[in-house]
């Protein structure tokens, strides 16, 4: 069973920096894509960034390109999301996500989610 646990959120002062962590367990970590999503009240969960398994690089939502960075440490089974110069628009609940895979290596029908971590930006 795949298990994802986020950490590193909380109340952060505007203009400060943040690093969220997502620790994954339950399968071989380095092979699989891990993504970050975020959600604010009344809105749908939206994609933020992805790190692709097997050294496949990263993807970002257009709205965040150049403003936050995703990385992974395969030795620690951990994916990070980092952002500097935080603004109030960054207030959200952030979720870690990874899909199941078919035997052919394509995305399966199951999505695994962490419990989410709240980030709030103070003035």
């Amino acid at each position: 069973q795949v298990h994802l646990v986020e950490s590193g959120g909380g109340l952060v002062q505007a203009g400060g920096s943040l690093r969220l962590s997502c620790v994954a367990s339950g399968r071989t970590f380095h092979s699989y894509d891990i993504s970050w999503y975020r959600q604010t009240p009344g809105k749908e969960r939206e994609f933020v960034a992805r790190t692709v398994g097997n050294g496949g690089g990263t993807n970002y939502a257009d709205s965040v390109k150049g403003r936050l960075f995703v990385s992974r440490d395969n030795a620690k089974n951990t994916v990070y999301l980092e952002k500097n110069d935080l603004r109030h628009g960054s207030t959200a609940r952030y979720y870690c996500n990874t899909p199941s895979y078919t035997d052919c290596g394509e995305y399966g029908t199951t999505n695994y989610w962490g419990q989410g971590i709240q980030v709030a930006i103070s003035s």
Side-chain angles (χ1 to χ4, degrees), residues 8-98:
L11 186 64
V12 184
Q13 193 168 14
S17 301
L18 182 72
R19 187 173 83 161
L20 303 179
S21 300
C22 171
V23 178
S25 61
R27 65 184 186 190
T28 305
F29 180 79
H30 66 84
S31 300
Y32 300 104
D33 300 355
I34 306 284
S35 299
W36 285 98
Y37 286 71
R38 66 185 179 190
Q39 188 170 24
T40 54
K43 294 188 176 181
E44 292 188 357
R45 198 171 296 184
E46 64 173 355
F47 169 76
V48 175
R50 174 181 298 116
T51 170
V52 180
N54 293 321
T58 56
N59 306 124
Y60 294 92
D62 288 342
S63 59
V64 303
K65 281 182 180 177
R67 297 193 290 116
L68 58 77
F69 303 93
V70 64
S71 61
R72 67 195 293 159
D73 185 337
N74 290 331
K76 296 181 178 180
N77 287 5
T78 301
V79 172
Y80 303 99
L81 185 69
E82 300 182 73
K83 191 177 190 307
N84 298 321
D85 192 24
L86 287 163
R87 306 295 176 87
H88 290 286
S90 297
T91 294
R93 191 167 186 85
Y94 288 77
Y95 294 88
C96 192
N97 165 273
T98 190

